[in-house]
Amino acid sequence: AQLVESGGGSVQAGGSLRLSCVASGITLSIYAMGWFRQAPGKEREFVASISRSGGTSNFADSVKGRFTISRDNAKNTVYLQMNSLKPEDTAVYYCAAKYHGEIRTTDVTYWGQGTQVTVSS
């Protein structure tokens, strides 16, 4: 199984980015999916998750109202739309898949390699 993120980059504060995560080797529809991030010197933290059907999503308080998560199971792809970006959103963003249960912590089945997001003030 492989998760490949894309869409990261550099943006000014207030800007937007959309991250994509394409899964291969697994059937995405049977996995809960999520996004995490890790800033330099900090632990990896939960950002957002979405249920297998896409009907339920959860967000960290720090991104609520600014980020949305969606999935297209037919395309084996999960998205993270990030709006109103702030410098404190700067981090490497990781896609994650979990076979059993929902995503709440870093206890997941598969990780992507990460994509860098840099927000300048």
Side-chain angles (χ1 to χ4, degrees), residues 32-120:
M33 298 298 296
W35 290 91
F36 290 75
R37 67 186 181 187
Q38 188 166 19
K42 295 188 176 181
E43 293 187 352
R44 192 169 298 189
E45 65 175 5
F46 170 80
V47 174
S49 65
I50 188 166
S51 62
R52 289 159 183 79
S53 67
T56 303
S57 57
N58 291 284
F59 298 91
D61 289 342
S62 58
V63 306
K64 279 181 183 176
R66 300 188 297 121
F67 290 13
T68 58
I69 186 171
S70 60
R71 64 191 296 161
D72 185 337
N73 288 337
K75 294 183 178 180
N76 256 22
T77 303
V78 179
Y79 305 96
L80 184 69
Q81 178 66 45
M82 306 185 294
N83 299 327
S84 302
L85 283 162
K86 304 176 181 179
E88 51 263 43
D89 294 318
T90 296
V92 177
Y93 283 71
Y94 296 90
C95 178
K98 187 167 185 176
Y99 185 61
H100 288 292
E102 300 303 320
I103 291 178
R104 291 284 187 272
T105 69
T106 55
D107 180 20
V108 301
T109 309
Y110 299 114
W111 289 104
Q113 85 289 347
T115 185
Q116 176 70 46
V117 171
T118 302
V119 185
S120 59

